[in-house]
Structure formats: structure tokens, C-alpha cells
Amino acid sequence: EPEVTQTPSHQVTQMGQEVILRCVPISNHLYFYWYRQILGQKVEFLVSFYNNEISEKSEIFDDQFSVERPDGSNFTLKIRSTKLEDSAMYFCASSPLAGEWSNQPQHFGDGTRLSIL
Amino acid sequence: SQELEQSPQSLIVQEGKNLTINCTSSKTLYGLYWYKQKYGEGLIFLMMLQKGGEEKSHEKITAKLDEKKQQSSLHITASQPSHAGIYLCGAPRGTYKYIFGTGTRLKVLA
């Protein structure tokens, strides 16, 4: 069964450095998402991406964050000048359709554990 | 206040016992998704409920949606150690975003 793949599985970075988290969504999916989960807390929506542009973002997704689909398969999340509080598990998800009436769930990758020192 | 509240927050059961996890929404539910997360890993899609009164089953897991109560329940029959993990309910909010519940940590004692 096709799956969402994320790399790396674990990233350790010094505070203030930039990180790029990579995702390969399921190939026929059109909608892409990033979520994060701080240890012990809820999974929180960051951003959704469709047709090469951001379709929705949360208040967490400030100027420090950016997303890109550099080619036909990868979907990346860049965090500039990382802070300690960026330490979390970051999940990529994709879906073929979107919307409250969609009958297609979002499929999640295994996540990248980001540790900021 | 939490939009999706799950109960209980954690559950420890003996292998072979049945259990139920609830998810209650403070807003109208247009659909409800159940995921399972193993500790420190990704979210595995279990099932999706879209219509009031809908009930779905997968192996020993059954989920129901009560639209009027804005609530869903997940029931595991004859639990096994492989059922251990964190169960999350999720719901769409608008076109693109999911929100997730607080999670229920399940431990099954062999």
C-alpha cells in the first residue's frame, strides 16, 4: 500500500540554525499538510498546500516557517532560525481530496523528530 | 476549551477485556476519523465515519458516530497487547485542516 515517507526520522540542530524536513506524499494525492506534535501534547495543524500554494495556515506557522514543493514528488518544510520550542515531532500528510465532505482521509508519515539544542 | 475531547485520557486493561474510548466535539461534526499512534511514531488511519449513526468495524475495532450528540465511540473487543498505543480522533475543520483530540493512551496487560 502506498505511504507517505518522511526524512530524516530524527534531526538534531543547534538553536538558530535552519532545518529542512522532507516528505514524499502519496503519488496521486493533491493536498499536502504539515502538523506538529510537541511531546505529550496534541497533534496541531501547521499548514496545507494545494496547487503549489498555501491554502491554509495556523497561527503557529509564522514567518519562520515556509513550505515548498520543489519537484513533482517532494514536499518540504523549512524552519529558519530554529528555537528551542520548535522541538517536536513533525508529521507530513497527504490526501487525494479535501474538505469537510470529502470521504478521503489524510494519510500520515512516520514523522521527523526535531530536537533543538 | 478543547474542540475534541477524548475520554478516558488513559486506560489499562487486561488482555481479553473489552474497552471503549469516547470522542466528543464542541462543534458540529461533519466527519470523524480515528487514528492510532504508537509511541513516538506516525499516525495510522483506522477508520472514517461520515454519517450519523454510521458504524464501521475493522478486525476487533468498531467505531460509531452519533451526530446528534456530536460524539464518536471506539470499541475494542477482546483486547490484545498489539492494540496498545495512543488512539486519536480527528475531525475536519474547514476545507483543509484536521483538528485532533487529546488522545487516549491504551495499555494492554498480557
Side-chain angles (χ1 to χ4, degrees):
Chain A
E1 188 173 323
E3 54 183 33
V4 176
T5 56
Q6 290 186 241
T7 55
S9 55
H10 192 187
Q11 173 84 44
V12 181
T13 301
Q14 289 289 332
M15 187 171 60
Q17 297 296 306
E18 174 183 285
V19 293
I20 298 177
L21 309 182
R22 301 180 194 279
C23 170
V24 179
I26 294 173
S27 63
N28 64 345
H29 286 188
L30 302 176
Y31 297 84
F32 315 116
Y33 315 85
W34 284 100
Y35 290 80
R36 80 170 185 192
Q37 185 180 34
I38 294 171
L39 187 65
Q41 297 186 24
K42 287 196 302 182
V43 175
E44 300 173 289
F45 170 79
L46 290 177
V47 67
S48 59
F49 192 85
Y50 169 69
N51 201 25
N52 280 318
E53 59 183 29
I54 290 173
S55 38
E56 186 172 350
K57 60 182 181 179
S58 71
E59 58 275 9
I60 302 168
F61 193 89
D62 59 22
D63 293 343
Q64 180 197 9
F65 294 89
S66 62
V67 288
E68 196 177 33
R69 189 155 162 82
D71 53 44
S73 58
N74 290 284
F75 179 49
T76 62
L77 174 70
K78 183 191 288 186
I79 310 175
R80 287 182 280 276
S81 190
T82 49
K83 305 172 200 161
L84 292 175
E85 54 265 36
D86 293 328
S87 295
M89 185 78 108
Y90 288 81
F91 293 107
C92 174
S94 69
S95 64
L97 297 171
E100 285 170 333
W101 300 105
S102 165
N103 63 355
Q104 299 293 327
Q106 294 180 12
H107 292 267
F108 285 74
D110 283 342
T112 293
R113 182 174 300 283
L114 177 63
S115 300
I116 307 298
L117 304 179
Chain B
S1 64
Q2 304 286 353
E3 279 198 52
L4 284 180
E5 195 79 40
Q6 285 183 238
S7 62
Q9 286 188 327
S10 64
L11 200 49
I12 302 174
V13 299
Q14 203 67 42
E15 184 177 0
K17 294 293 184 187
N18 303 336
L19 63 105
T20 299
I21 297 168
N22 293 304
C23 174
T24 303
S25 174
S26 59
K27 297 187 178 180
T28 303
L29 278 174
Y30 294 100
L32 198 289
Y33 302 87
W34 283 100
Y35 289 84
K36 180 185 174 186
Q37 183 180 26
K38 288 194 174 178
Y39 297 104
E41 296 183 14
L43 281 67
I44 301 164
F45 171 70
L46 295 176
M47 57 190 86
M48 170 178 65
L49 303 163
Q50 285 198 291
K51 301 171 194 171
E54 188 172 15
E55 180 173 322
K56 285 192 176 174
S57 294
H58 176 68
E59 298 178 346
K60 292 185 178 178
I61 302 176
T62 301
K64 296 181 193 178
L65 178 63
D66 186 330
E67 231 170 29
K68 288 180 184 172
K69 290 184 182 176
Q70 295 179 175
Q71 188 175 71
S72 176
S73 59
L74 184 104
H75 184 78
I76 299 177
T77 304
S79 57
Q80 300 167 352
S82 60
H83 287 128
I86 302 171
Y87 289 82
L88 298 172
C89 60
R93 281 291 179 260
T95 302
Y96 304 106
K97 157 179 153 178
Y98 277 16
I99 58 164
F100 284 91
T102 46
T104 296
R105 292 176 176 266
L106 173 63
K107 189 170 182 178
V108 180
L109 302 175

